[in-house]
Amino acid sequence: MTVQPSRPTFGLDDFGLDDRMRLFGYVTAENRFVYLWLLRAFDSARSSYHVVLHTSDVAAALVALHDANADCPDPARLELPRLLDALVDWGVLDRGQDGSRATTLAEYRNRHSVYQFTEAGYRAHRAVEAVLSASMDDSTLSRLVFADLLADLSALASANEAGDAEEVYRKFNRLDRALADIAERAARFYHMLGDLGRTNDVRPEAFLAHKDALLAHLRDFHDELQRYTPRLRAAVHEVEATGLDRLIEAAAEADERLFHTPVQRLDDWRRRWAGLRSWLAPPGPEQLSEADRLSDATIAAIGDVLALLRRVTEARRGGVSRESQLRHLAAWFTRTGTQEAAHALFDVVFGLGAPRHVGVAHPDPEAIASRLSWWEAPAVELSRTLVATGRAPGQGRGRPARLDRVDDRRHRLRGDQLARERRLADAATALADAGVDEHRLDGPQTQVLLRLLDIALAARVGGATAVPLAAAAHGVRLTLTPAPGRFTTVRTVEGRLHLDGYALTVTAAQHTAVRRPELVSA
């Protein structure tokens, strides 16, 4: 069986990649803060041109850091040789022997170790320090860089046309770094805006104090980007017109990277130009450049800032945001000790509870056929007290009070009702006999007409106006016939009633006999 060799990852074999990853082992170790201050001691000594340090030199550097920073550990409480050897095992430090420090033969025979940064270890430490010292809130978009880009592109075209390889290399390299800086700044800035919109601890005072500066910064950057984008695109085409292959060859020729072959340098500079072109002038007319995408992202960021402003303003108006209320409620649920307490809190907050079930037997069960479902069977009367409290009337409160029946009052109310109905029936009959156009309607006739109109208009389906409408009551029938352009007016004692687009007729109902209510004795 033939074993295929593994392909290198990131230009490294498996062992080299593992060694690079182990450089950051001290970051997750138990004494990571102690290791960090040890490396800071080496870094401070390196800034004073002291590269190789003995254990006593490391202790002295730590004493100086401890005097200036309270967070720095006291070197008297540390086992420096063991800690330094651990950093050597991770590959951050390199250990050597220094026999010149020995003053006696016994000291010479003992190990006198000196330590210094390895090249990879120093880069790993600087990377960790860059992350720790980075200010995530200090992210801005540089709008002044566009003028520099345009000037460098013009100088690059002139240098390429003149055949100045070193000037081509300098301008090309500066353009590459400037675009990388723009991309990095934009990524940090929009990530900061995203965190600002997603966070739940936005201080309204701080945001409202800086919102105008933030919106002005976005607007100015977008205006500069819109102004320079077509000019930068034209400048890229002017550079390519002087000879793209000559440009790439000149930059690769002046490149001083010794461990890259000429082919690798040519491929690298060709890749850099492709990235620069995609940023400023993509080849296809339908393709969006990275500058255009950056412009769209700026517009979207302005909208996000305005949405955040509206959210903060609404929260200030209400005193507290809805999201904050729900988070506090969730914290209350989390702190409840028992499940019963959580259910009680839920019932109090949301006002939801289990439905109340009551059961009452029918007074005459034999009167209802057993084959009928409860949907079809007649309803059973329930007491309001039973439904509201779950207790039958009289339970726990003694016998109900005696009901007083005032018969003379009931007779009087019934007589008034019948007399009112009789007046409406007489008014309906007079309305059907005389019509609505010939005379002025009195109070009862107006009341009958309005009641019929209410019934007829309520019967419209979907607000339709092209079909006749009808209503019947008190032995008469009202009909509303659509009549576009016609204006019907009815005179009443209360004023004039106008109907636009309808013809109104009131006739006696053929299928309904006018029944005059009579007084009956109880």
Side-chain angles (χ1 to χ4, degrees), residues 138-173:
D138 187 13
S139 302
T140 57
L141 297 170
S142 177
R143 61 184 179 86
L144 303 178
V145 73
F146 298 121
D148 296 336
L149 288 177
L150 185 60
D152 289 341
L153 284 171
S154 301
L156 180 62
S158 301
N160 190 37
E161 189 174 6
D164 190 350
E166 294 184 357
E167 185 67 13
V168 167
Y169 172 76
R170 285 193 293 268
K171 296 301 181 185
F172 199 170
N173 195 25

PDB file of all heavy atoms in Angstrom, residues 138-173:
ATOM      1  N   ASP A 138     -13.167  52.102  18.969  1.00  0.00           N
ATOM      2  CA  ASP A 138     -12.491  53.125  18.179  1.00  0.00           C
ATOM      3  C   ASP A 138     -12.333  52.623  16.747  1.00  0.00           C
ATOM      4  O   ASP A 138     -11.270  52.166  16.336  1.00  0.00           O
ATOM      5  CB  ASP A 138     -11.126  53.441  18.798  1.00  0.00           C
ATOM      6  CG  ASP A 138     -10.467  54.631  18.110  1.00  0.00           C
ATOM      7  OD1 ASP A 138     -11.170  55.326  17.364  1.00  0.00           O
ATOM      8  OD2 ASP A 138      -9.265  54.841  18.325  1.00  0.00           O
ATOM      9  N   SER A 139     -13.404  52.662  15.991  1.00  0.00           N
ATOM     10  CA  SER A 139     -13.414  52.193  14.602  1.00  0.00           C
ATOM     11  C   SER A 139     -14.042  53.288  13.755  1.00  0.00           C
ATOM     12  O   SER A 139     -15.195  53.665  13.958  1.00  0.00           O
ATOM     13  CB  SER A 139     -14.220  50.897  14.473  1.00  0.00           C
ATOM     14  OG  SER A 139     -13.690  49.892  15.308  1.00  0.00           O
ATOM     15  N   THR A 140     -13.261  53.799  12.814  1.00  0.00           N
ATOM     16  CA  THR A 140     -13.741  54.870  11.950  1.00  0.00           C
ATOM     17  C   THR A 140     -13.414  54.538  10.507  1.00  0.00           C
ATOM     18  O   THR A 140     -12.512  53.751  10.208  1.00  0.00           O
ATOM     19  CB  THR A 140     -13.098  56.217  12.325  1.00  0.00           C
ATOM     20  OG1 THR A 140     -11.669  56.080  12.255  1.00  0.00           O
ATOM     21  CG2 THR A 140     -13.509  56.650  13.724  1.00  0.00           C
ATOM     22  N   LEU A 141     -14.163  55.169   9.616  1.00  0.00           N
ATOM     23  CA  LEU A 141     -13.924  55.045   8.183  1.00  0.00           C
ATOM     24  C   LEU A 141     -13.123  56.263   7.721  1.00  0.00           C
ATOM     25  O   LEU A 141     -13.516  57.396   7.979  1.00  0.00           O
ATOM     26  CB  LEU A 141     -15.248  54.958   7.422  1.00  0.00           C
ATOM     27  CG  LEU A 141     -16.116  53.735   7.739  1.00  0.00           C
ATOM     28  CD1 LEU A 141     -17.493  53.902   7.103  1.00  0.00           C
ATOM     29  CD2 LEU A 141     -15.472  52.467   7.242  1.00  0.00           C
ATOM     30  N   SER A 142     -12.005  56.002   7.039  1.00  0.00           N
ATOM     31  CA  SER A 142     -11.153  57.101   6.588  1.00  0.00           C
ATOM     32  C   SER A 142     -11.620  57.545   5.204  1.00  0.00           C
ATOM     33  O   SER A 142     -11.541  56.794   4.234  1.00  0.00           O
ATOM     34  CB  SER A 142      -9.695  56.646   6.544  1.00  0.00           C
ATOM     35  OG  SER A 142      -8.872  57.670   6.043  1.00  0.00           O
ATOM     36  N   ARG A 143     -12.109  58.779   5.116  1.00  0.00           N
ATOM     37  CA  ARG A 143     -12.547  59.304   3.832  1.00  0.00           C
ATOM     38  C   ARG A 143     -11.423  60.066   3.126  1.00  0.00           C
ATOM     39  O   ARG A 143     -11.559  60.406   1.952  1.00  0.00           O
ATOM     40  CB  ARG A 143     -13.746  60.227   4.022  1.00  0.00           C
ATOM     41  CG  ARG A 143     -13.481  61.446   4.890  1.00  0.00           C
ATOM     42  CD  ARG A 143     -14.737  62.257   5.121  1.00  0.00           C
ATOM     43  NE  ARG A 143     -14.495  63.415   5.965  1.00  0.00           N
ATOM     44  CZ  ARG A 143     -14.077  64.589   5.518  1.00  0.00           C
ATOM     45  NH1 ARG A 143     -13.847  64.750   4.222  1.00  0.00           N
ATOM     46  NH2 ARG A 143     -13.889  65.592   6.348  1.00  0.00           N
ATOM     47  N   LEU A 144     -10.328  60.355   3.832  1.00  0.00           N
ATOM     48  CA  LEU A 144      -9.225  61.092   3.224  1.00  0.00           C
ATOM     49  C   LEU A 144      -8.307  60.200   2.391  1.00  0.00           C
ATOM     50  O   LEU A 144      -7.453  60.705   1.662  1.00  0.00           O
ATOM     51  CB  LEU A 144      -8.394  61.786   4.317  1.00  0.00           C
ATOM     52  CG  LEU A 144      -9.163  62.733   5.236  1.00  0.00           C
ATOM     53  CD1 LEU A 144      -8.241  63.310   6.295  1.00  0.00           C
ATOM     54  CD2 LEU A 144      -9.806  63.855   4.419  1.00  0.00           C
ATOM     55  N   VAL A 145      -8.477  58.881   2.502  1.00  0.00           N
ATOM     56  CA  VAL A 145      -7.578  57.979   1.797  1.00  0.00           C
ATOM     57  C   VAL A 145      -7.875  57.934   0.307  1.00  0.00           C
ATOM     58  O   VAL A 145      -7.016  57.545  -0.488  1.00  0.00           O
ATOM     59  CB  VAL A 145      -7.681  56.566   2.420  1.00  0.00           C
ATOM     60  CG1 VAL A 145      -8.988  55.904   2.048  1.00  0.00           C
ATOM     61  CG2 VAL A 145      -6.507  55.698   2.006  1.00  0.00           C
ATOM     62  N   PHE A 146      -9.078  58.335  -0.115  1.00  0.00           N
ATOM     63  CA  PHE A 146      -9.430  58.233  -1.537  1.00  0.00           C
ATOM     64  C   PHE A 146      -8.574  59.179  -2.383  1.00  0.00           C
ATOM     65  O   PHE A 146      -8.180  58.835  -3.498  1.00  0.00           O
ATOM     66  CB  PHE A 146     -10.912  58.524  -1.738  1.00  0.00           C
ATOM     67  CG  PHE A 146     -11.808  57.554  -1.022  1.00  0.00           C
ATOM     68  CD1 PHE A 146     -12.709  57.990  -0.070  1.00  0.00           C
ATOM     69  CD2 PHE A 146     -11.737  56.197  -1.291  1.00  0.00           C
ATOM     70  CE1 PHE A 146     -13.534  57.095   0.587  1.00  0.00           C
ATOM     71  CE2 PHE A 146     -12.555  55.296  -0.630  1.00  0.00           C
ATOM     72  CZ  PHE A 146     -13.443  55.751   0.309  1.00  0.00           C
ATOM     73  N   ALA A 147      -8.280  60.369  -1.872  1.00  0.00           N
ATOM     74  CA  ALA A 147      -7.416  61.288  -2.610  1.00  0.00           C
ATOM     75  C   ALA A 147      -6.005  60.718  -2.743  1.00  0.00           C
ATOM     76  O   ALA A 147      -5.358  60.847  -3.802  1.00  0.00           O
ATOM     77  CB  ALA A 147      -7.391  62.643  -1.912  1.00  0.00           C
ATOM     78  N   ASP A 148      -5.517  60.043  -1.682  1.00  0.00           N
ATOM     79  CA  ASP A 148      -4.196  59.418  -1.759  1.00  0.00           C
ATOM     80  C   ASP A 148      -4.188  58.273  -2.759  1.00  0.00           C
ATOM     81  O   ASP A 148      -3.207  58.076  -3.492  1.00  0.00           O
ATOM     82  CB  ASP A 148      -3.780  58.922  -0.375  1.00  0.00           C
ATOM     83  CG  ASP A 148      -3.610  60.062   0.622  1.00  0.00           C
ATOM     84  OD1 ASP A 148      -3.374  61.198   0.169  1.00  0.00           O
ATOM     85  OD2 ASP A 148      -3.725  59.811   1.838  1.00  0.00           O
ATOM     86  N   LEU A 149      -5.271  57.501  -2.800  1.00  0.00           N
ATOM     87  CA  LEU A 149      -5.356  56.409  -3.785  1.00  0.00           C
ATOM     88  C   LEU A 149      -5.291  56.951  -5.206  1.00  0.00           C
ATOM     89  O   LEU A 149      -4.602  56.389  -6.071  1.00  0.00           O
ATOM     90  CB  LEU A 149      -6.645  55.613  -3.573  1.00  0.00           C
ATOM     91  CG  LEU A 149      -6.735  54.706  -2.353  1.00  0.00           C
ATOM     92  CD1 LEU A 149      -8.114  54.067  -2.270  1.00  0.00           C
ATOM     93  CD2 LEU A 149      -5.670  53.617  -2.409  1.00  0.00           C
ATOM     94  N   LEU A 150      -6.032  58.022  -5.449  1.00  0.00           N
ATOM     95  CA  LEU A 150      -6.039  58.592  -6.795  1.00  0.00           C
ATOM     96  C   LEU A 150      -4.650  59.120  -7.174  1.00  0.00           C
ATOM     97  O   LEU A 150      -4.167  58.900  -8.302  1.00  0.00           O
ATOM     98  CB  LEU A 150      -7.078  59.715  -6.869  1.00  0.00           C
ATOM     99  CG  LEU A 150      -7.310  60.339  -8.239  1.00  0.00           C
ATOM    100  CD1 LEU A 150      -7.781  59.301  -9.237  1.00  0.00           C
ATOM    101  CD2 LEU A 150      -8.319  61.478  -8.139  1.00  0.00           C
ATOM    102  N   ALA A 151      -3.967  59.779  -6.251  1.00  0.00           N
ATOM    103  CA  ALA A 151      -2.625  60.298  -6.524  1.00  0.00           C
ATOM    104  C   ALA A 151      -1.625  59.167  -6.753  1.00  0.00           C
ATOM    105  O   ALA A 151      -0.773  59.232  -7.655  1.00  0.00           O
ATOM    106  CB  ALA A 151      -2.170  61.191  -5.372  1.00  0.00           C
ATOM    107  N   ASP A 152      -1.714  58.092  -5.962  1.00  0.00           N
ATOM    108  CA  ASP A 152      -0.794  56.966  -6.137  1.00  0.00           C
ATOM    109  C   ASP A 152      -1.042  56.245  -7.455  1.00  0.00           C
ATOM    110  O   ASP A 152      -0.092  55.761  -8.098  1.00  0.00           O
ATOM    111  CB  ASP A 152      -0.945  55.994  -4.968  1.00  0.00           C
ATOM    112  CG  ASP A 152      -0.385  56.561  -3.675  1.00  0.00           C
ATOM    113  OD1 ASP A 152       0.424  57.505  -3.740  1.00  0.00           O
ATOM    114  OD2 ASP A 152      -0.767  56.078  -2.591  1.00  0.00           O
ATOM    115  N   LEU A 153      -2.296  56.140  -7.878  1.00  0.00           N
ATOM    116  CA  LEU A 153      -2.575  55.505  -9.166  1.00  0.00           C
ATOM    117  C   LEU A 153      -2.003  56.326 -10.318  1.00  0.00           C
ATOM    118  O   LEU A 153      -1.440  55.775 -11.282  1.00  0.00           O
ATOM    119  CB  LEU A 153      -4.086  55.316  -9.341  1.00  0.00           C
ATOM    120  CG  LEU A 153      -4.716  54.167  -8.555  1.00  0.00           C
ATOM    121  CD1 LEU A 153      -6.242  54.220  -8.653  1.00  0.00           C
ATOM    122  CD2 LEU A 153      -4.214  52.819  -9.053  1.00  0.00           C
ATOM    123  N   SER A 154      -2.122  57.637 -10.233  1.00  0.00           N
ATOM    124  CA  SER A 154      -1.535  58.493 -11.277  1.00  0.00           C
ATOM    125  C   SER A 154      -0.012  58.370 -11.291  1.00  0.00           C
ATOM    126  O   SER A 154       0.614  58.267 -12.368  1.00  0.00           O
ATOM    127  CB  SER A 154      -1.956  59.943 -11.047  1.00  0.00           C
ATOM    128  OG  SER A 154      -3.367  60.079 -11.077  1.00  0.00           O
ATOM    129  N   ALA A 155       0.601  58.360 -10.097  1.00  0.00           N
ATOM    130  CA  ALA A 155       2.059  58.202 -10.033  1.00  0.00           C
ATOM    131  C   ALA A 155       2.482  56.816 -10.509  1.00  0.00           C
ATOM    132  O   ALA A 155       3.544  56.662 -11.139  1.00  0.00           O
ATOM    133  CB  ALA A 155       2.535  58.435  -8.600  1.00  0.00           C
ATOM    134  N   LEU A 156       1.679  55.795 -10.248  1.00  0.00           N
ATOM    135  CA  LEU A 156       1.994  54.443 -10.703  1.00  0.00           C
ATOM    136  C   LEU A 156       1.967  54.361 -12.224  1.00  0.00           C
ATOM    137  O   LEU A 156       2.839  53.721 -12.838  1.00  0.00           O
ATOM    138  CB  LEU A 156       1.013  53.446 -10.082  1.00  0.00           C
ATOM    139  CG  LEU A 156       1.197  51.974 -10.449  1.00  0.00           C
ATOM    140  CD1 LEU A 156       2.551  51.464  -9.982  1.00  0.00           C
ATOM    141  CD2 LEU A 156       0.076  51.127  -9.835  1.00  0.00           C
ATOM    142  N   ALA A 157       0.976  54.994 -12.840  1.00  0.00           N
ATOM    143  CA  ALA A 157       0.912  55.005 -14.307  1.00  0.00           C
ATOM    144  C   ALA A 157       2.130  55.714 -14.893  1.00  0.00           C
ATOM    145  O   ALA A 157       2.727  55.244 -15.889  1.00  0.00           O
ATOM    146  CB  ALA A 157      -0.382  55.669 -14.761  1.00  0.00           C
ATOM    147  N   SER A 158       2.530  56.826 -14.292  1.00  0.00           N
ATOM    148  CA  SER A 158       3.699  57.551 -14.804  1.00  0.00           C
ATOM    149  C   SER A 158       4.978  56.738 -14.625  1.00  0.00           C
ATOM    150  O   SER A 158       5.833  56.680 -15.534  1.00  0.00           O
ATOM    151  CB  SER A 158       3.824  58.894 -14.076  1.00  0.00           C
ATOM    152  OG  SER A 158       2.664  59.688 -14.267  1.00  0.00           O
ATOM    153  N   ALA A 159       5.149  56.085 -13.467  1.00  0.00           N
ATOM    154  CA  ALA A 159       6.346  55.292 -13.226  1.00  0.00           C
ATOM    155  C   ALA A 159       6.413  54.086 -14.155  1.00  0.00           C
ATOM    156  O   ALA A 159       7.497  53.721 -14.645  1.00  0.00           O
ATOM    157  CB  ALA A 159       6.393  54.847 -11.766  1.00  0.00           C
ATOM    158  N   ASN A 160       5.271  53.448 -14.402  1.00  0.00           N
ATOM    159  CA  ASN A 160       5.261  52.298 -15.305  1.00  0.00           C
ATOM    160  C   ASN A 160       5.565  52.707 -16.738  1.00  0.00           C
ATOM    161  O   ASN A 160       6.265  51.996 -17.478  1.00  0.00           O
ATOM    162  CB  ASN A 160       3.911  51.600 -15.220  1.00  0.00           C
ATOM    163  CG  ASN A 160       3.907  50.259 -15.937  1.00  0.00           C
ATOM    164  OD1 ASN A 160       4.897  49.521 -15.917  1.00  0.00           O
ATOM    165  ND2 ASN A 160       2.805  49.943 -16.594  1.00  0.00           N
ATOM    166  N   GLU A 161       5.050  53.859 -17.106  1.00  0.00           N
ATOM    167  CA  GLU A 161       5.322  54.345 -18.467  1.00  0.00           C
ATOM    168  C   GLU A 161       6.790  54.723 -18.626  1.00  0.00           C
ATOM    169  O   GLU A 161       7.387  54.533 -19.714  1.00  0.00           O
ATOM    170  CB  GLU A 161       4.419  55.536 -18.767  1.00  0.00           C
ATOM    171  CG  GLU A 161       4.464  55.985 -20.208  1.00  0.00           C
ATOM    172  CD  GLU A 161       3.456  57.076 -20.494  1.00  0.00           C
ATOM    173  OE1 GLU A 161       2.805  57.549 -19.527  1.00  0.00           O
ATOM    174  OE2 GLU A 161       3.295  57.450 -21.669  1.00  0.00           O
ATOM    175  N   ALA A 162       7.405  55.230 -17.558  1.00  0.00           N
ATOM    176  CA  ALA A 162       8.821  55.613 -17.614  1.00  0.00           C
ATOM    177  C   ALA A 162       9.756  54.434 -17.391  1.00  0.00           C
ATOM    178  O   ALA A 162      10.981  54.580 -17.570  1.00  0.00           O
ATOM    179  CB  ALA A 162       9.104  56.697 -16.580  1.00  0.00           C
ATOM    180  N   GLY A 163       9.236  53.271 -16.961  1.00  0.00           N
ATOM    181  CA  GLY A 163      10.075  52.097 -16.726  1.00  0.00           C
ATOM    182  C   GLY A 163      10.839  52.144 -15.427  1.00  0.00           C
ATOM    183  O   GLY A 163      11.870  51.456 -15.292  1.00  0.00           O
ATOM    184  N   ASP A 164      10.381  52.910 -14.428  1.00  0.00           N
ATOM    185  CA  ASP A 164      11.043  53.012 -13.122  1.00  0.00           C
ATOM    186  C   ASP A 164      10.515  51.890 -12.228  1.00  0.00           C
ATOM    187  O   ASP A 164       9.434  52.003 -11.616  1.00  0.00           O
ATOM    188  CB  ASP A 164      10.771  54.384 -12.507  1.00  0.00           C
ATOM    189  CG  ASP A 164      11.624  54.633 -11.267  1.00  0.00           C
ATOM    190  OD1 ASP A 164      12.272  53.696 -10.788  1.00  0.00           O
ATOM    191  OD2 ASP A 164      11.623  55.788 -10.791  1.00  0.00           O
ATOM    192  N   ALA A 165      11.257  50.775 -12.137  1.00  0.00           N
ATOM    193  CA  ALA A 165      10.782  49.591 -11.410  1.00  0.00           C
ATOM    194  C   ALA A 165      10.658  49.870  -9.912  1.00  0.00           C
ATOM    195  O   ALA A 165       9.701  49.431  -9.261  1.00  0.00           O
ATOM    196  CB  ALA A 165      11.719  48.413 -11.653  1.00  0.00           C
ATOM    197  N   GLU A 166      11.616  50.566  -9.337  1.00  0.00           N
ATOM    198  CA  GLU A 166      11.564  50.831  -7.895  1.00  0.00           C
ATOM    199  C   GLU A 166      10.375  51.715  -7.525  1.00  0.00           C
ATOM    200  O   GLU A 166       9.705  51.483  -6.512  1.00  0.00           O
ATOM    201  CB  GLU A 166      12.876  51.476  -7.449  1.00  0.00           C
ATOM    202  CG  GLU A 166      14.084  50.556  -7.572  1.00  0.00           C
ATOM    203  CD  GLU A 166      15.341  51.205  -7.030  1.00  0.00           C
ATOM    204  OE1 GLU A 166      15.247  52.385  -6.615  1.00  0.00           O
ATOM    205  OE2 GLU A 166      16.391  50.542  -6.998  1.00  0.00           O
ATOM    206  N   GLU A 167      10.091  52.743  -8.336  1.00  0.00           N
ATOM    207  CA  GLU A 167       8.927  53.594  -8.065  1.00  0.00           C
ATOM    208  C   GLU A 167       7.626  52.822  -8.246  1.00  0.00           C
ATOM    209  O   GLU A 167       6.662  53.001  -7.490  1.00  0.00           O
ATOM    210  CB  GLU A 167       8.969  54.814  -8.983  1.00  0.00           C
ATOM    211  CG  GLU A 167       7.867  55.836  -8.717  1.00  0.00           C
ATOM    212  CD  GLU A 167       8.021  56.526  -7.364  1.00  0.00           C
ATOM    213  OE1 GLU A 167       9.113  56.405  -6.739  1.00  0.00           O
ATOM    214  OE2 GLU A 167       7.046  57.160  -6.927  1.00  0.00           O
ATOM    215  N   VAL A 168       7.594  51.945  -9.255  1.00  0.00           N
ATOM    216  CA  VAL A 168       6.414  51.086  -9.432  1.00  0.00           C
ATOM    217  C   VAL A 168       6.202  50.224  -8.197  1.00  0.00           C
ATOM    218  O   VAL A 168       5.081  50.078  -7.698  1.00  0.00           O
ATOM    219  CB  VAL A 168       6.583  50.220 -10.697  1.00  0.00           C
ATOM    220  CG1 VAL A 168       5.532  49.113 -10.727  1.00  0.00           C
ATOM    221  CG2 VAL A 168       6.475  51.068 -11.938  1.00  0.00           C
ATOM    222  N   TYR A 169       7.269  49.651  -7.673  1.00  0.00           N
ATOM    223  CA  TYR A 169       7.165  48.799  -6.486  1.00  0.00           C
ATOM    224  C   TYR A 169       6.659  49.596  -5.281  1.00  0.00           C
ATOM    225  O   TYR A 169       5.785  49.139  -4.544  1.00  0.00           O
ATOM    226  CB  TYR A 169       8.523  48.180  -6.180  1.00  0.00           C
ATOM    227  CG  TYR A 169       8.573  47.443  -4.867  1.00  0.00           C
ATOM    228  CD1 TYR A 169       8.009  46.187  -4.721  1.00  0.00           C
ATOM    229  CD2 TYR A 169       9.181  48.030  -3.747  1.00  0.00           C
ATOM    230  CE1 TYR A 169       8.049  45.520  -3.508  1.00  0.00           C
ATOM    231  CE2 TYR A 169       9.230  47.371  -2.539  1.00  0.00           C
ATOM    232  CZ  TYR A 169       8.655  46.117  -2.424  1.00  0.00           C
ATOM    233  OH  TYR A 169       8.684  45.457  -1.227  1.00  0.00           O
ATOM    234  N   ARG A 170       7.216  50.797  -5.087  1.00  0.00           N
ATOM    235  CA  ARG A 170       6.807  51.598  -3.930  1.00  0.00           C
ATOM    236  C   ARG A 170       5.337  52.006  -4.013  1.00  0.00           C
ATOM    237  O   ARG A 170       4.577  51.871  -3.042  1.00  0.00           O
ATOM    238  CB  ARG A 170       7.707  52.831  -3.805  1.00  0.00           C
ATOM    239  CG  ARG A 170       9.089  52.541  -3.264  1.00  0.00           C
ATOM    240  CD  ARG A 170       9.790  53.837  -2.873  1.00  0.00           C
ATOM    241  NE  ARG A 170      10.082  54.652  -4.055  1.00  0.00           N
ATOM    242  CZ  ARG A 170      11.226  54.596  -4.731  1.00  0.00           C
ATOM    243  NH1 ARG A 170      12.182  53.760  -4.351  1.00  0.00           N
ATOM    244  NH2 ARG A 170      11.426  55.372  -5.778  1.00  0.00           N
ATOM    245  N   LYS A 171       4.908  52.514  -5.178  1.00  0.00           N
ATOM    246  CA  LYS A 171       3.520  52.960  -5.308  1.00  0.00           C
ATOM    247  C   LYS A 171       2.550  51.787  -5.266  1.00  0.00           C
ATOM    248  O   LYS A 171       1.479  51.873  -4.656  1.00  0.00           O
ATOM    249  CB  LYS A 171       3.358  53.746  -6.610  1.00  0.00           C
ATOM    250  CG  LYS A 171       4.170  55.029  -6.657  1.00  0.00           C
ATOM    251  CD  LYS A 171       3.792  55.957  -5.513  1.00  0.00           C
ATOM    252  CE  LYS A 171       4.589  57.250  -5.573  1.00  0.00           C
ATOM    253  NZ  LYS A 171       4.318  58.128  -4.408  1.00  0.00           N
ATOM    254  N   PHE A 172       2.929  50.685  -5.924  1.00  0.00           N
ATOM    255  CA  PHE A 172       2.062  49.511  -5.931  1.00  0.00           C
ATOM    256  C   PHE A 172       1.896  48.962  -4.515  1.00  0.00           C
ATOM    257  O   PHE A 172       0.792  48.621  -4.073  1.00  0.00           O
ATOM    258  CB  PHE A 172       2.653  48.462  -6.858  1.00  0.00           C
ATOM    259  CG  PHE A 172       1.670  47.420  -7.303  1.00  0.00           C
ATOM    260  CD1 PHE A 172       2.002  46.524  -8.314  1.00  0.00           C
ATOM    261  CD2 PHE A 172       0.406  47.294  -6.742  1.00  0.00           C
ATOM    262  CE1 PHE A 172       1.105  45.564  -8.743  1.00  0.00           C
ATOM    263  CE2 PHE A 172      -0.505  46.343  -7.163  1.00  0.00           C
ATOM    264  CZ  PHE A 172      -0.144  45.472  -8.156  1.00  0.00           C
ATOM    265  N   ASN A 173       3.001  48.877  -3.780  1.00  0.00           N
ATOM    266  CA  ASN A 173       2.948  48.368  -2.415  1.00  0.00           C
ATOM    267  C   ASN A 173       2.140  49.306  -1.510  1.00  0.00           C
ATOM    268  O   ASN A 173       1.391  48.852  -0.639  1.00  0.00           O
ATOM    269  CB  ASN A 173       4.374  48.225  -1.883  1.00  0.00           C
ATOM    270  CG  ASN A 173       4.431  47.367  -0.632  1.00  0.00           C
ATOM    271  OD1 ASN A 173       3.573  46.527  -0.411  1.00  0.00           O
ATOM    272  ND2 ASN A 173       5.444  47.580   0.187  1.00  0.00           N
TER     273      ASN A 173
END
